[in-house]
Amino acid sequence: MGISLVLAGLLSLCCLSLCQDCNTELLENVDFPGADITNLSSPDANHCQLLCTQHPSCLFFTFIRADWTADDRNFFCYIKSTASGQPSERAPLQGVTSGFSLKPCSPNARPCLSDVYQNVDFFGADYRALFTADYEECQRTCTQEPTCQFFTFVDGDSAAEKFRYKCHLKFSYTAPRIQTVQRTAGVISGFSQNIQISQFFEPACQGQLLINTNIPGNDIENLPAASPGHCLALCSVHPLCTFFSYVSNDFRCFLKNNLNELVIQTQQGVTSGIPARFCQLDNSWLKEAHEGVDFQGSDIRNEPMDNADTCQRTCTADPNCQFYTFTTNNFAFQDFRLRCFLKRAITMPAPPKITKQQNVVSGFSLRSCL
């Protein structure tokens, strides 16, 4: 959120995403200078617009296209925001495309990304590689694999002969990730009930949880998480996670990889477990309300509200909201009591880096298009 007097600034921005009109227009060769929050990698302006839509603070953006020649910032998606909700300036600039967040348009949380990109490399995020006859077969493989979000295929004309026809399957998180979790008096936090962690298999299942048990070593990632169930979900969607350990005092989720052995030791305050695969993961952890726990950051807006139950229902009803923090009558800052902070994180496929590369083809899984 975070909990400080900076909330005063947030309150003045709380209705921007609601007060804006739905504007789907893309403005070619128009720059929205300044007002940058951050920049992300994106293959085209449509994908950049969706990143802006899912980013909690983004209201508009400028995308630097493949035909940009001034420097090497091709495929940069600049996420932007102002207090007014509108760009302060519009300037002509060749090689860029600008537009607005689709938050006011009630966008699809799992958009269909059907385009493929010739001579574009989605660099990094690999979890497996195999050889396929062409990029269509590579994309079909990615679509069939539940953990694959996007791919890069090296075609038969590549100068590096030993890598020809190689299909690189790649991963990004579909489960919401929280920036920071910490203990704070006078707050209650929780999740939307509409989050879908694993959507591709009918059988319901549960992963294995081992209470007061640590699995030391073999860490591949260390993430904030609200509970052992949240950590289990993060491990279950990560293709390289073979088991995990969750430290309750620090709200830390340690994802681990070791295909050869699983060595456990008794440790109070640590819950370890084994992920669930190829099934509909039990989402009972989403129903937990965490008293005295603050999900910091990722705010999309905040509203005055009477209680945490109403806050949770408001988050569930809002397609943009994934999790929330509610401030109670015991919150330290009196002026900010009884407010519901609605939050989200980017969960659409998002390559960490995109570059120009001859004789490769990149694209996304088509599961959301079926």
Side-chain angles (χ1 to χ4, degrees), residues 6-7 15 36 61 156 175 190 196 205 235 275 288 308 319 330 364:
V6 75
L7 291 176
C15 76
D36 296 353
F61 67 91
Q196 293 185 1
C205 64
C235 181
E288 297 179 44
N330 297 321
F364 295 92

Side-chain angles (χ1 to χ4, degrees), residues 183 210-214 227-228 245-252 254 265-272:
R183 299 193 186 280
L210 308 171
I211 310 302
N212 293 325
T213 300
N214 185 29
S227 66
S245 291
Y246 176 75
V247 183
S248 298
N249 286 342
D250 299 330
F251 300 103
R252 302 306 299 184
F254 293 87
Q265 64 183 33
T266 301
Q267 186 169 345
Q268 294 294 315
V270 179
T271 299
S272 295

